[in-house]
């Protein structure tokens, strides 16, 4: 435990993850990430965004350092880790003969709450995400988007200080995207640290206060949406010629003109 | 960090409270279903007890159950040393096979997993065959115990081999199932070889064994299997929520704080013990480990706090019904119960499958 009164921070230093001989994340160091922040992790396909989240959730072995509040995330007991990190995988949940409420309750087992309290907390999360009407509906009777929101409910219901979300909006329509991002934003505002992978840069720019651009397993750029999302970044990282327009209310628009002349370095 | 920051007051609307009430009712309905199945299983066991080839009437048998002194010596032996052990063993075997089946299905993520498909039964049969045909087996045992002991050792050995293969190859659940099938085929081939060289007498004994029979039931068998159930069931119950988490995939379960590898290992150990003991005592009996859990899943869903007990009582009911049928189908003849489980299991299984497709 840290002895200072400073707010806890997620500190990631020299994180390295390899699948067999293939190194996906090489010596990745990030600036300290703080509670209250909504951090968007962006970057092209297969650059290691999911791998970073999986390493923090200890689903793949990693070397290096990941510390939260003075504790080593890579070594803490599994139950403590489950109380610290709520992780939402990229894949949709498998279908099982369980309804959305049961699935949410199952996700909360590390919290060890009395049954009634647990049920109330789960229901509150479903209402917050606007899927309370699906509570008694079975997982295999949901649409892809509904399953994705149910998956998010599983991560949120854990009430962990850190939330790792892997593309929580990829299957959602505009209204549900908004609802999910709004919920996630509120969670950050209430003191959680939310790290979410997003492919939609406009969504990232609108909601995140911090953007991390990952390119080929390294941190390419980081900062506010204004600072991180630039035509140069889009050219080198994504290999596209693009214009970035700042609109009213601080919104950002990314207009893609076409592939860059030279393929990304 | 203020802890409150992460714990906003829980606010649930009245509609939400209604939904929770509905959920409560659902859980009570499930408990009711389990209780109903239990009553049916007990009724079936009672039917099993009062039916049989001997001239004992139903009333006499029932009276004898509560007041053994009211019977003649011969009748007392029939009731207390033959019928009751058979009726009880049938229930216990059904419980054991269904519990083994449901745990295997969950940890392997495969609805077809059961002692049969994972090669446990064929390995047990191979062990039994070695004892029957060649007299080879666990040293220092007389023949009546040599066969079950051998079957047990081989069944357990098959599952340990399975576990070893899984460990050394870092195999996922799918590979584990394939390994199991491979072991089953290998044991089956060796069994055929033994059958090929066996004497007429040994062959007949072997065929009878592989069909599965409750005829060898006695209080020692009952006590053995009951002891294994008493030891394993509390651990299964305690793992129920973790098993439910596993149904959502390994990654999710891990991130919920479940030690997935340990859960798998111990569930497989429990299932192995249950299946190996049951198969050793009564021979190979198919379908119960498959149909029991499936029935339960359709009735109460996959929350393992309900699925595990429901599977156990479904297994008991099926096996007990099979025992009744094995006695009554051909009057005066005690058919091997393994045949009867398939006769009971098949229609039930088909009905379940077709009903499920209609509901979709
Ligand atoms: N289990 C695995 N075994 C081997 N290689 C893997 C495994 N999982 C991912 N990889 C590889 O690691 C690299 C990074 O994958 P990762 O899933 O982290 O990408 P990502 O940035 O999340 O991509 P996307 O935007 O497509 O989700 C890819 O090259 C991928 O092929
Ligand atoms: Mg990804």
């Amino acid at each position: 435990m840290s002895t200072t009164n400073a707010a806890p921070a997620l500190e990631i230093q020299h994180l390295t993850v390899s699948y067999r001989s293939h190194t996906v994340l090489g010596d990745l160091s990030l600036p300290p990430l703080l509670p209250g922040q909504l951090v968007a992790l962006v970057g092209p396909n297969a650059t290691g965004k999911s791998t970073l989240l999986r390493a923090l959730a200890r689903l793949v072995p990693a070397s290096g350092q990941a510390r939260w509040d003075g504790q080593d995330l890579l070594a803490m007991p599994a139950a403590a880790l489950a109380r610290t990190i709520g992780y939402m995988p990229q894949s949709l949940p498998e279908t099982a003969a369980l309804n959305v409420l049961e699935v949410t309750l199952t996700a909360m087992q590390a919290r060890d709450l009395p049954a009634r309290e647990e049920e109330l907390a789960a229901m509150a999360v479903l209402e917050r995400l606007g899927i309370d009407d699906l509570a008694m509906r079975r997982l295999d009777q949901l649409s892809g988007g509904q399953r994705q929101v149910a998956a998010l409910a599983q991560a949120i219901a854990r009430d962990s200080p850190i939330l790792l979300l892997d593309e929580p909006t990829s299957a959602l329509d505009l209204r549900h995207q908004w609802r999910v991002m709004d919920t996630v934003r509120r969670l950050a505002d209430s003191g959680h640290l939310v790290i979410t992978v997003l492919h939609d840069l406009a969504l990232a720019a609108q909601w995140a206060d911090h953007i991390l651009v990952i390119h080929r397993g390294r941190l390419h750029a980081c900062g506010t949406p204004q600072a991180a999302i630039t035509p140069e970044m889009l050219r080198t990282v994504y290999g596209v010629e693009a214009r970035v327009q700042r609109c009213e209310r601080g919104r950002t628009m990314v207009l893609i003109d076409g592939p860059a002349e030279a393929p990304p370095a | 960090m203020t802890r409150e920051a992460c714990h906003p007051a829980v606010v649930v609307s009245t509609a939400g409270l209604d939904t929770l009430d509905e959920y409560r009712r659902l859980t009570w309905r499930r408990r009711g279903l389990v209780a109903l199945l239990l009553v049916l299983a007990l009724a079936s066991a009672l039917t099993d007890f009062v039916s049989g080839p001997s001239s004992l009437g139903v009333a006499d048998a029932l009276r004898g159950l509560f007041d053994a002194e009211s019977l003649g010596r011969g009748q007392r032996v029939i009731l207390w040393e033959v019928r009751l052990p058979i009726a009880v063993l049938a229930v216990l075997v059904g419980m054991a096979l269904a519990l083994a089946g449901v745990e295997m299905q969950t940890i392997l993520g495969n609805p077809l997993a059961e002692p049969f498909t994972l090669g446990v039964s064929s390995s047990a049969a191979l062990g039994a065959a070695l004892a029957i045909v060649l007299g080879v087996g666990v040293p220092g045992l007389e023949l009546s115990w040599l066969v079950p002991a051998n079957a047990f050792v081989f069944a357990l050995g098959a599952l340990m081999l399975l576990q070893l293969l899984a460990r050394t190859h870092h195999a996922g659940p799918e590979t584990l199932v394939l390994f199991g099938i491979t072991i089953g085929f290998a044991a089956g081939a060796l069994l055929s070889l033994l059958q090929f060289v066996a004497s007429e007498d040994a062959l007949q004994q072997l065929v009878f064994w592989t069909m599965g029979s409750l005829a060898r039931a006695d209080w020692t068998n009952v006590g053995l299997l009951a002891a294994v159930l008493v030891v394993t069931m509390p651990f299964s119950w305690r793992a129920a929520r973790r098993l439910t988490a596993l149904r959502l995939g390994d990654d999710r379960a891990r991130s919920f704080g479940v030690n997935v590898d340990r859960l798998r290992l111990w569930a497989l150990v429990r299932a192995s013990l249950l299946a190996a003991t049951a198969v050793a005592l009564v021979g190979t009996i198919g379908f119960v480990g498959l149909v029991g859990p499936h029935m339960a899943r359709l009735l109460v869903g996959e929350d393992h706090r309900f699925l595990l007990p429901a599977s156990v009582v479904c297994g008991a009911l099926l096996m007990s019904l099979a025992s009744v049928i094995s006695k009554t189908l051909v009057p005066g003849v005690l058919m091997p119960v393994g045949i009867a489980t398939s006769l009971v299991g098949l229609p039930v299984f088909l009905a379940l499958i077709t009903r499920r497709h209609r509901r979709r």
Side-chain angles (χ1 to χ4, degrees):
Chain A
M1 278 313 226
S2 63
T3 46
T4 61
N5 280 335
L10 177 62
E11 289 163 287
I12 294 170
Q13 300 287 334
H14 312 296
L15 200 73
T16 300
V17 181
S18 310
Y19 291 112
R20 308 218 170 164
S21 57
H22 165 56
T23 300
V24 178
L25 294 179
D27 201 28
L28 181 77
S29 297
L30 301 180
L33 304 172
L34 304 171
Q37 282 184 336
L38 173 50
V39 179
L41 212 54
V42 304
N45 291 131
T47 46
K49 304 179 298 294
S50 298
T51 303
L52 173 58
L53 298 194
R54 286 169 56 79
L56 293 176
R58 278 222 316 255
L59 298 170
V60 287
S63 63
Q65 266 198 1
R67 303 183 78 79
W68 168 256
D69 201 8
Q71 289 169 293
D72 186 359
L73 287 179
L74 301 182
M76 72 166 55
L81 187 76
R83 282 190 293 271
T84 310
I85 286 182
Y87 166 70
M88 172 189 174
Q90 182 170 3
S91 59
L92 295 176
E94 284 170 39
T95 57
L98 293 165
N99 65 38
V100 173
L101 181 61
E102 284 171 327
V103 165
T104 314
L105 291 170
T106 303
M108 299 167 72
Q109 48 189 285
R111 282 180 71 180
D112 244 338
L113 294 175
R116 184 63 185 170
E117 225 176 285
E118 194 176 50
E119 286 169 11
L120 286 170
M123 202 60 218
V125 169
L126 298 186
E127 290 193 336
R128 222 159 145 181
L129 287 170
I131 52 168
D132 44 318
D133 53 329
L134 301 180
M136 302 298 285
R137 191 92 77 76
R138 267 173 48 167
L139 220 47
D140 47 11
Q141 294 163 357
L142 299 183
S143 77
Q146 290 172 326
R147 283 221 311 269
Q148 194 166 37
V149 184
L152 180 62
Q154 289 173 49
I156 293 179
R158 320 256 294 274
D159 197 30
S160 52
I162 305 177
L163 272 169
L164 306 176
L165 312 176
D166 204 341
E167 301 190 25
T169 57
S170 60
L172 302 185
D173 66 38
L174 296 174
R175 186 185 158 85
H176 285 96
Q177 276 186 6
W178 190 90
R179 179 132 199 179
V180 162
M181 290 314 294
D182 182 59
T183 308
V184 164
R185 178 71 254 178
R186 282 166 200 266
L187 283 167
D189 291 342
S190 71
H192 294 259
L193 165 60
V194 184
I195 305 176
T196 172
V197 177
L198 289 172
H199 273 304
D200 187 336
L201 294 181
L203 213 55
Q206 184 183 349
W207 293 96
D209 12 53
H210 213 75
I211 300 221
L212 302 174
V213 184
I214 307 284
H215 185 37
R216 302 194 169 169
R218 294 177 189 282
L219 183 65
H220 178 88
C222 72
T224 60
Q226 305 261 349
I229 301 176
T230 60
E232 297 73 48
M233 185 279 281
L234 290 161
R235 192 178 308 120
T236 38
V237 173
Y238 288 90
V240 292
E241 287 302 337
R243 283 166 289 159
V244 177
Q245 296 191 345
R246 315 287 172 196
C247 316
E248 90 286 13
R249 289 204 281 161
R251 302 279 171 85
T252 298
M253 246 170 39
V254 178
L255 301 167
I256 314 292
D257 292 324
E261 297 295 294
Chain B
M1 177 179 58
T2 57
R3 192 150 166 75
E4 284 71 30
C6 287
H7 290 260
V10 171
V11 185
V12 176
S13 72
T14 37
L17 291 175
D18 286 347
T19 310
L20 285 181
D21 284 344
E22 194 187 331
Y23 174 66
R24 274 280 151 101
R25 282 198 295 278
L26 181 68
T27 61
W28 279 109
R29 197 154 62 232
R30 286 173 177 165
R31 286 189 189 96
L33 270 171
V34 173
L36 179 68
L37 286 164
L38 184 66
V39 169
L40 288 177
L42 289 176
S44 170
L46 204 61
T47 316
D48 193 3
F49 174 72
V50 299
S51 55
S54 70
S55 59
L56 256 169
V58 173
D60 288 338
L62 281 179
R63 187 152 38 81
L65 184 59
F66 297 103
D67 181 15
E69 301 308 314
S70 68
L71 301 169
R73 203 184 123 63
Q75 292 185 323
R76 203 154 65 209
V77 169
I78 288 176
L79 277 187
W80 282 85
E81 302 302 323
V82 179
R83 283 201 191 169
L84 197 56
I86 287 185
V88 176
L89 191 63
V91 166
L92 294 180
V93 165
M95 291 168 73
L97 290 177
L99 186 55
V102 70
E103 291 211 54
M104 282 178 175
Q105 286 161 20
T106 297
I107 59 172
L108 298 177
N110 188 325
L112 292 179
E114 65 139 338
F116 229 99
T117 42
L118 288 185
V120 182
S121 304
S122 341
S123 303
L126 177 63
L130 275 173
I132 294 170
V133 177
L134 303 177
V136 180
V138 185
L141 286 175
E142 53 181 296
L143 190 69
S144 63
W145 280 105
L146 187 63
V147 177
N150 243 21
F152 180 79
V153 168
F154 270 70
L156 217 54
L159 282 156
M160 272 155 64
L161 182 64
L162 198 64
Q163 189 65 31
L164 191 76
L165 283 169
R167 291 246 142 171
T168 49
H169 291 76
H170 299 287
E174 300 87 20
T175 323
L176 206 62
V177 173
L178 291 176
F179 278 141
I181 293 173
T182 313
I183 292 173
F185 273 118
L190 290 173
L191 181 65
S192 301
L193 189 67
L194 279 175
Q195 286 175 339
F196 186 67
V197 302
S199 68
E200 198 114 316
D201 205 28
L203 189 61
Q204 194 176 6
Q205 230 183 316
L206 187 55
V207 167
F208 188 67
W209 193 91
T210 47
M211 279 176 182
S213 164
L214 290 165
R216 291 180 297 266
D218 60 28
W219 290 114
T220 321
N221 291 349
V222 167
L224 266 174
L225 191 53
V228 174
L229 276 165
V230 165
V231 170
T232 50
M233 282 205 310
F235 290 101
S236 301
W237 276 203
R238 269 189 46 189
R241 285 199 95 180
R242 281 172 280 150
L243 288 167
T244 310
L246 209 53
R247 287 297 297 123
L248 300 169
D250 283 17
D251 276 5
R252 286 195 168 74
R254 281 211 176 88
S255 80
F256 300 163
V258 175
N259 186 335
V260 170
D261 298 320
R262 197 163 59 192
L263 179 66
R264 269 218 176 91
L265 173 67
W266 283 108
L268 199 60
V269 168
R270 288 194 296 270
S272 309
L273 267 178
L274 288 166
T277 313
V279 173
L281 294 179
V282 297
T284 53
I285 287 175
F287 260 110
V288 176
L290 196 62
V291 180
H294 272 268
M295 251 174 93
R297 200 170 284 126
L298 288 172
L299 290 172
V300 303
E302 285 188 299
D303 182 339
H304 282 60
R305 287 174 302 174
F306 305 109
L307 179 59
L308 294 178
S311 297
V312 165
V313 287
C314 281
L317 175 61
L318 283 172
M319 194 66 203
S320 184
L321 283 177
S323 176
V324 174
I325 287 181
S326 74
K327 284 179 184 173
T328 50
L329 196 63
V330 186
V333 176
L334 186 62
M335 211 169 54
V337 76
I339 298 174
T341 54
S342 298
L343 288 180
V344 179
L346 262 170
V348 173
F349 199 45
L350 276 176
L352 292 179
I353 297 171
T354 48
R355 207 190 70 159
R356 189 165 60 166
H357 278 275
R358 233 184 303 142
R359 261 212 318 219
R360 283 257 160 99

